[in-house]
Amino acid sequence: MALKECDNLRHRREQALTACCMAAAAEADLALQPARRAAMLMDCLAVLRAAHPAADAAQWGMGDFRRALRGPLALLLPATTESDDGLGTLCLFDEDGLVRDALQDLCREHLVPQVALDRHWSWPRLRAEQEERRLYEILRRLDPHEYRRARALLAESPAGPVRELRRAWDQLWMRFDFFEAVSDWPWCHLDGWWYPCPTCRWPMRVVRRAGEVEVRCEAHRARGVHYRLSLEPVAAGAAPLLVGTGSASDPVVGLPASTEHLALSRPVWRYGVLPTLLEIELRDRLQGLEHVQVEMWPGELRPDEYDLKITLSPPGRRTSYFRVDAKAWESVDGLARALLEREPTPYPLIILLPNHQEHEVEFLKERLAGRRITVTTLKRLVARIEKAAGGVR
Ligand SMILES: [Zn+2]
């Protein structure tokens, strides 16, 4: 297939995906007036039709669209003859008919802005790479000391009472305008309270299904951060109690979901906080290993290029360097495209994914073939370096 045609098909698949994500969000928003929801779905369907060759498009009715939205997306996306991009097997709803947690991120990572949809949405106007760039442009304006401080704060203070945040962020507070009021995020409210994840400290999602209430961190659910609402009564005016149901469900206490409580915006959490936590975990796992030196956030000139430099100098062998850039995108296909659009780095780069994306490592490697980029997970990289260093602490 000619390159241009291939780009065009990719663009149309992403255009269709954008329409599907927005339609799923409209379906899932219970607060929406029925007439408004119907208007949104009509506009999504129009965008979807426009993404398909004329002959296919005529067949799509609203009923077909809404039914197909609940299955794997292959049916709704323009057919591809290219190697699989993984989008066809995506599902936007789970087996209980609830919309998937990371819908907004998925949309942002494949976003094709649509004039027809503009009037309905405020959230995903910018593509993920633009959000990521905006964050790193602000970080890059800081001096190296402040830059490292800001990276540490992303991990330590991403949400909480405004007074505490202001104190923690201190000098950086006015320069870092990425906080939003938790009161504006109904998805994390439980009877007027919100619960920070014990791992990332960002608000956890509250999911109601068949009479049960589940509270879970979208990013750390796979690592066992999930809870259910306790049946024990609580005193009037106190936060409902949660019972841990996962292996990493440390006790959490509810905080008032008021305008006095803020959290970093969702894109900053996903593209700033989560990779920072991954880097810190990598550093901690390598701590104390003989012949291994880890430098955090050393890229003072171009801080967005890599976050962590590992120097491995086993006695009698050549010193080797690992430059690591952690990523926590929902869609590795979206991540691949963003990385390919970036200028190649003059040194080999390691893209570090969370362990739960292990099954996507090969796919991403294939997409990045020809670049000086290796792809690995935290677990794999730690094992590799431990082995190379002789495993002595
Ligand atoms: Zn979390």
Side-chain angles (χ1 to χ4, degrees):
M1 197 186 288
L3 192 64
K4 202 167 168 207
E5 205 179 317
C6 168
D7 281 352
N8 180 26
L9 175 60
R10 158 167 276 280
H11 181 83
R12 287 192 292 111
R13 279 174 76 78
E14 292 197 313
Q15 181 181 344
L17 179 61
T18 303
C20 292
C21 286
M22 294 200 169
E27 291 272 48
D29 185 353
L30 300 175
L32 216 56
Q33 296 293 327
R36 176 99 201 282
R37 180 178 301 121
M40 286 162 94
L41 288 171
M42 282 306 293
D43 285 342
C44 290
L45 180 56
V47 169
L48 183 79
R49 281 182 177 148
H52 281 261
D56 302 2
Q59 300 166 10
W60 286 103
M62 183 53 79
D64 303 318
F65 178 38
R66 294 184 64 189
R67 257 189 307 282
L69 256 189
R70 281 160 172 80
L73 289 182
L75 273 175
L76 291 171
L77 304 181
T80 175
T81 49
E82 279 294 286
S83 66
D84 190 15
D85 55 16
L87 300 182
T89 53
L90 282 179
C91 289
L92 302 184
F93 290 87
D94 66 14
E95 57 282 6
D96 295 322
L98 294 173
V99 76
R100 65 184 284 168
D101 286 350
L103 185 76
Q104 257 195 59
D105 306 319
L106 184 69
C107 189
R108 196 171 274 123
E109 290 167 17
H110 292 281
L111 182 71
V112 177
Q114 302 291 324
V115 175
L117 300 178
D118 267 6
R119 68 190 176 105
H120 299 304
W121 267 275
S122 53
W123 45 265
R125 290 283 175 82
L126 289 181
R127 280 182 82 109
E129 52 267 45
Q130 291 170 288
E131 297 273 18
E132 208 180 30
R133 212 176 304 133
R134 185 168 106 80
L135 168 65
Y136 282 92
E137 269 166 15
I138 292 198
L139 289 171
R140 204 185 298 145
R141 279 189 226 125
L142 305 173
D143 68 42
H145 169 75
E146 287 175 326
Y147 175 75
R148 278 191 280 271
R149 180 82 197 117
R151 291 302 299 267
L153 282 164
L154 286 175
E156 290 160 14
S157 299
V162 63
R163 278 167 51 196
E164 281 176 27
L165 291 174
R166 209 190 279 265
R167 202 176 316 131
W169 284 77
D170 195 23
Q171 305 280 316
L172 292 169
W173 181 250
M174 296 306 285
R175 298 163 74 178
F176 212 79
D177 62 340
F178 288 103
F179 284 95
E180 295 176 13
V182 174
S183 54
D184 289 340
W185 296 355
W187 57 266
C188 68
H189 296 179
L190 180 60
D191 299 340
W193 302 84
W194 68 280
Y195 297 81
C197 163
T199 302
C200 66
R201 300 167 200 221
W202 202 67
M204 294 196 281
R205 179 174 287 269
V206 176
V207 182
R208 291 177 173 84
R209 68 173 87 219
E212 283 220 341
V213 176
E214 192 193 9
V215 180
R216 64 194 187 210
C217 174
E218 292 183 28
H220 300 112
R221 180 195 192 189
R223 295 177 65 166
V225 181
H226 43 86
Y227 302 81
R228 67 169 171 76
L229 180 60
S230 163
L231 299 174
E232 260 179 65
V234 288
L241 297 174
L242 300 186
V243 180
T245 48
S247 55
S249 304
D250 294 343
V252 287
V253 175
L255 297 166
S258 69
T259 50
E260 291 296 299
H261 283 243
L262 307 182
L264 285 170
S265 72
R266 184 178 183 95
V268 172
W269 169 70
R270 182 161 273 277
Y271 309 110
V273 173
L274 295 180
T276 302
L277 288 170
L278 204 55
E279 290 151 26
I280 291 174
E281 194 178 349
L282 175 62
R283 178 200 61 192
D284 293 350
R285 295 282 301 275
L286 298 177
Q287 200 114 55
L289 209 56
E290 247 182 64
H291 319 304
V292 176
Q293 202 198 343
V294 182
E295 230 182 309
M296 290 290 272
W297 311 312
E300 291 177 0
L301 296 174
R302 305 276 307 268
D304 55 333
E305 276 181 0
Y306 63 91
D307 303 309
L308 211 113
K309 188 175 164 190
I310 302 166
T311 309
L312 177 68
S313 42
R317 301 228 313 269
R318 229 179 45 199
T319 300
S320 38
Y321 302 97
F322 301 82
R323 291 176 178 86
V324 183
D325 189 4
K327 295 285 180 194
W329 285 45
E330 171 70 8
S331 161
V332 287
D333 180 64
L335 172 61
R337 184 194 18 75
L339 288 171
L340 288 169
E341 281 169 8
R342 212 156 93 165
E343 280 290 304
T345 51
Y347 43 77
L349 188 67
I350 295 174
I351 295 294
L352 182 72
L353 302 181
N355 290 334
H356 74 264
Q357 287 183 325
E358 168 91 36
H359 63 288
E360 296 182 293
V361 166
E362 291 309 315
F363 171 79
L364 186 56
K365 266 188 196 165
E366 257 170 54
R367 288 288 313 275
L368 299 172
R371 288 283 178 116
R372 294 171 80 188
I373 296 180
T374 15
V375 182
T376 190
T377 58
L378 181 84
K379 209 162 110 186
R380 282 195 200 189
L381 185 58
V382 170
R384 183 178 159 198
I385 291 175
E386 274 179 348
K387 188 165 173 233
V392 184
R393 281 185 204 267

